[in-house]
Amino acid sequence: MASRPHTRRLRRALLTLLVTASVALPVSGAARPAAVAAPAPAALAPLVAATPAALDARYAATRDAVRDALRMASGHGDRRRADALRAMAGPGRHFLAFDGRDGGRTAEVFGDLSGAARIAVLVPGAGVDLDHYWRLERDAEALTAELGEGSAVVAWLGYRTPSTVSPDAVTAGRADEAAPRLVSFVRELTEARPGARVSLLCHSYGSVVCARGASGLLVADLVLYGSPGTGAATAEELHTGATVRAGRGGGDWIAHVPHVRLDLAFTTVGFGTDPVAPEFGAKVFDAGDGGHSDYLRPGSVSLRSLARIVAGTADGRG
């Protein structure tokens, strides 16, 4: 009798996987953002110091890379990608990194990084690529406005995100690929802006990415929101010196995803303990009643909570 709840949870996890696969596989032959042609960007020297001059040089180099990708996309008739890149090539956009290949890799700065005492790095979840980059841009702009002067936000699309509905979204493969990239980026950022308070804000599948690299991330806060789990049973298992915080909106569908890990012969499905559960041990912050994509919505409870965390003014509950 005692094993029945566990058995039901495993069945729910299997059902989730099967439904995911059944939806994903029929559309697997459709055109993917990764299929859009793009040139290899020029290699960039490490950003040694985040001075205005050094940043201007980096922004100019990445703007050239965006324009090169725009020309190729236009030449291939990829209008949707070309439109996205045209917006990204504007003089007011500031990228620390850009690579248009394989769905896109970017790191865009919002605010004045050279004078920022507080820096938030946004790590997105599934379904974000160059064609859907506006979602991440929107969130970064909202957080930047909420934080005000003395802060900067970096939107880090530094990995090949899984499709929202796909087997990759319930396994850790993409996160394992992404984690070393994130660790390297944050290390370069903190070395270029020593003394700044850096917080990592990890949404949905992005929380799996952050968890995979947690032990190598020297940040003040590791914030998991809209998370399906991290693959760790407790915050302590992340082996980080950062304050681990978690939140979930009252209208977020991720609450209904089974928080289990199922070891199969060929892979592990699911990410285990719910980060907002008491047994995980994170500091839980007030995320209001928003949905899965509403955490950085202007005027929301969750946006105010996240801004306080980044600013270092959050109370004991975050």
Side-chain angles (χ1 to χ4, degrees), residues 157-173:
L157 177 59
Y159 75 110
R160 185 169 54 114
T161 65
S163 298
T164 303
V165 183
S166 71
D168 285 334
V170 293
T171 56

Side-chain angles (χ1 to χ4, degrees), residues 300-312:
S300 64
V301 170
S302 53
L303 175 60
R304 291 193 294 270
S305 293
L306 289 167
R308 285 196 296 269
I309 291 170
V310 174

Side-chain angles (χ1 to χ4, degrees), residues 29-40:
R32 298 292 188 185
V36 180

Side-chain angles (χ1 to χ4, degrees), residues 113-192:
L113 184 61
S114 67
R118 299 168 298 276
I119 303 170
V121 179
L122 301 185
V123 181
V128 180
D129 49 49
L130 291 184
D131 292 344
H132 303 90
Y133 182 77
W134 61 269
R135 301 172 185 170
L136 185 57
E137 179 188 358
R138 171 200 63 194
D139 287 350
E141 288 176 340
L143 182 57
T144 303
E146 186 72 21
L147 287 168
E149 294 183 2
S151 303
V153 176
V154 181
W156 185 81
L157 177 59
Y159 75 110
R160 185 169 54 114
T161 65
S163 298
T164 303
V165 183
S166 71
D168 285 334
V170 293
T171 56
R174 295 290 177 90
D176 288 337
E177 294 173 3
R181 297 173 181 266
L182 179 61
V183 170
S184 178
F185 175 79
V186 172
R187 182 180 297 118
E188 181 179 358
L189 180 65
T190 54
E191 290 175 354

Side-chain angles (χ1 to χ4, degrees), residues 3-315:
S3 64
R4 286 184 180 179
H6 181 66
T7 301
R8 285 197 294 268
R9 287 196 297 270
L10 292 181
R11 287 175 178 172
R12 288 176 63 200
L14 278 171
L15 180 61
T16 300
L17 175 63
L18 291 172
V19 170
T20 298
S22 68
V23 174
L25 292 177
V27 299
S28 61
R32 298 292 188 185
V36 180
L44 298 173
L47 185 67
V48 177
T51 63
L55 289 171
D56 285 346
R58 174 66 68 91
Y59 297 155
T62 53
R63 189 171 297 116
D64 287 342
V66 175
R67 289 171 176 165
D68 289 343
L70 169 59
R71 282 190 287 270
M72 183 171 285
S74 298
H76 282 263
D78 300 308
R79 293 184 179 178
R80 183 177 186 181
R81 176 62 58 83
D83 287 344
L85 293 172
R86 192 170 291 108
M88 298 172 81
R93 306 294 290 271
H94 300 135
F95 290 91
L96 291 173
F98 177 85
D99 186 343
R101 298 173 297 175
D102 196 22
R105 310 277 193 280
T106 69
E108 184 173 10
V109 175
F110 297 79
D112 179 13
L113 184 61
S114 67
R118 299 168 298 276
I119 303 170
V121 179
L122 301 185
V123 181
V128 180
D129 49 49
L130 291 184
D131 292 344
H132 303 90
Y133 182 77
W134 61 269
R135 301 172 185 170
L136 185 57
E137 179 188 358
R138 171 200 63 194
D139 287 350
E141 288 176 340
L143 182 57
T144 303
E146 186 72 21
L147 287 168
E149 294 183 2
S151 303
V153 176
V154 181
W156 185 81
L157 177 59
Y159 75 110
R160 185 169 54 114
T161 65
S163 298
T164 303
V165 183
S166 71
D168 285 334
V170 293
T171 56
R174 295 290 177 90
D176 288 337
E177 294 173 3
R181 297 173 181 266
L182 179 61
V183 170
S184 178
F185 175 79
V186 172
R187 182 180 297 118
E188 181 179 358
L189 180 65
T190 54
E191 290 175 354
R193 196 71 187 92
R197 187 181 196 280
V198 179
S199 299
L200 210 57
L201 274 54
C202 317
H203 179 237
S204 194
Y205 188 87
S207 63
V208 187
V209 175
C210 292
R212 283 299 200 263
S215 62
L217 293 164
L218 300 179
V219 296
D221 302 288
L222 189 65
V223 188
L224 316 170
Y225 56 104
S227 175
T230 64
T234 65
E236 187 177 2
E237 287 186 10
L238 298 179
H239 302 294
T240 177
T243 299
V244 180
R245 303 178 186 268
R248 185 172 63 229
D252 191 341
W253 56 261
I254 205 77
H256 304 295
V257 172
H259 285 90
V260 297
R261 293 186 71 196
L262 183 61
D263 293 322
L264 304 178
F266 55 91
T267 191
T268 298
V269 176
F271 303 110
T273 309
D274 185 347
V276 301
E279 59 266 29
F280 188 75
K283 289 188 175 181
V284 177
F285 66 89
D286 187 356
D289 58 1
H292 192 64
S293 300
D294 296 334
Y295 288 92
L296 293 167
R297 178 169 48 83
S300 64
V301 170
S302 53
L303 175 60
R304 291 193 294 270
S305 293
L306 289 167
R308 285 196 296 269
I309 291 170
V310 174
T313 59
D315 60 20

